[in-house]
Amino acid sequence: MCVFFVCVQVTRILKVGNESTKLKATDVLLSIIQHDTPALRTFLLKQQDHMMFALLIREFTEGAGDSGLPEQVADLLKQLLDPDTMDTSVEKNEFLDVFYDQFLGRLLDVLVQDKGINPREGTRSVPAATIGLVVDLMCFLVLQHSFRCKYWALRNQLVPKVMSVLRRKERWLVCAAVRFFRTMLSIKGDIEFYTRIILKGNLLEPLMTVFIENGTRYNLLYSAVLELLEYIRKSNIKPLIEFLVVHYGDRFADMDYTETFKGLRIRYEQHQDAGAESEEARSRALASTRTSEPPLRGLTYSFGLDGEPLGPA
């Protein structure tokens, strides 16, 4: 009952309070979540129209970037969405259903509306800090809600929308998009799924374009992309290796300042050799079946009195 009363008051504050008061209200919610997370989830789930949930998402996406409020809401959402702290099916299913069905799309709309990402179709200038928080939360969802996030991503263009952050001019935001790319490939069972999305949406091209434009400057972006390419090589993700070598092999020849590009080409050539050997083996097998003796079916054999075969009748 105490949590319910406090949450009702916090809802009112989030609705009409000023930035300072809202910040203190979210402090209260963070305190509640440390002691009684299920009670807070239950309130968010059962409240009419999920009012407080909607207000928290509004503060996340529309709050002042320098107020600290979006950061607190992002931290609060991560703790609410952490499956390791969900003990009942109501929390694991109904609560996540509400978030994915009603609120996740609003978070991604921030990226679609930003003029820095979509100069023509954007409707407002979103603070860089807010975009960074959205990308960070998407990384969290990919890791923590593997199956549910994949299903939602397939229907709602999650991956292309997040990777559109590569168009922002802030280098640390571009690095955030690279980190999201790396996160998608970090779960072994999900690599094939996200690889198909990456290739279908041609999402490696803008990433490599940003990397090439960065040149030989040894900065955070250079390190992030290089680590991603090295991970693709070590994990032997064949479709991505083939795309990189086929489309950027000529440029790799000029990038002799690291062994990563040479390693990618070697991997690609190994795949080609293995494919040629496999094709040759299949051809030999097919030729041998064509020249082999006819099958026994359809032939009648004679046998002597001692049971020894005499040959075809």
Side-chain angles (χ1 to χ4, degrees), residues 108-288:
L108 286 176
D109 285 344
V110 171
L111 307 181
V112 177
Q113 297 165 0
D114 178 50
K115 292 181 179 180
I117 296 175
N118 297 305
R120 294 183 179 179
E121 301 177 3
T123 58
R124 64 190 182 105
S125 296
V126 181
T130 300
I131 292 177
L133 291 172
V134 171
V135 176
D136 182 65
L137 185 60
M138 296 305 113
C139 292
F140 174 84
L141 297 180
V142 167
L143 289 174
Q144 300 297 327
H145 303 162
S146 176
F147 176 77
R148 188 183 294 267
C149 190
K150 286 193 297 182
Y151 179 70
W152 199 92
L154 197 60
R155 296 181 303 152
N156 297 276
Q157 298 292 306
L158 182 149
V159 177
K161 289 177 182 177
V162 176
M163 293 306 297
S164 68
V165 176
L166 290 169
R167 303 188 201 121
R168 286 284 301 215
K169 63 181 181 180
E170 296 88 350
R171 280 293 182 244
W172 70 271
L173 277 182
V174 175
C175 291
V178 175
R179 182 163 62 88
F180 175 78
F181 198 109
R182 174 68 169 80
T183 301
M184 290 190 295
L185 302 176
S186 63
I187 303 176
K188 296 297 182 181
D190 295 344
I191 289 178
E192 184 178 352
F193 172 83
Y194 284 113
T195 296
R196 288 198 300 268
I197 290 181
I198 290 166
L199 293 177
K200 183 178 179 180
N202 196 26
L203 301 177
L204 262 175
E205 181 178 347
L207 187 146
M208 291 304 297
T209 298
V210 170
F211 176 72
I212 292 170
E213 289 176 351
N214 184 68
T216 57
R217 291 189 290 271
Y218 294 94
N219 50 24
L220 187 59
L221 175 60
Y222 171 88
S223 300
V225 176
L226 204 61
E227 193 277 334
L228 170 63
L229 298 179
E230 182 66 16
Y231 175 79
I232 291 173
R233 184 191 68 82
K234 287 183 177 180
S235 301
N236 199 21
I237 307 176
K238 295 181 181 179
L240 298 185
I241 292 174
E242 180 179 356
F243 181 93
L244 287 167
V245 175
V246 169
H247 291 83
Y248 299 96
D250 294 340
R251 289 185 176 273
F252 287 172
D254 300 329
M255 300 176 181
D256 55 356
Y257 43 81
T258 177
E259 294 296 315
T260 297
F261 308 113
K262 185 185 297 183
L264 285 169
R265 182 175 289 281
I266 292 173
R267 282 285 195 191
Y268 173 73
E269 292 172 353
Q270 289 172 346
H271 298 161
Q272 296 297 104
D273 293 340
E277 291 175 2
S278 178
E279 184 63 30
E280 184 179 351
R282 283 197 296 268
S283 299
R284 287 200 301 266
L286 182 60
S288 65

Side-chain angles (χ1 to χ4, degrees), residues 96-109:
L96 291 180
D97 283 343
V98 169
F99 173 74
Y100 275 85
D101 292 343
Q102 299 190 33
F103 299 112
L104 181 53
R106 300 186 192 182
L107 294 176
L108 286 176
D109 285 344

Side-chain angles (χ1 to χ4, degrees), residues 13-14 16-28 69:
I13 293 172
L14 291 174
V16 299
N18 56 35
E19 292 294 322
S20 177
T21 309
K22 291 177 182 178
L23 198 60
K24 293 176 182 177
T26 53
D27 278 335
V28 172
L69 189 55

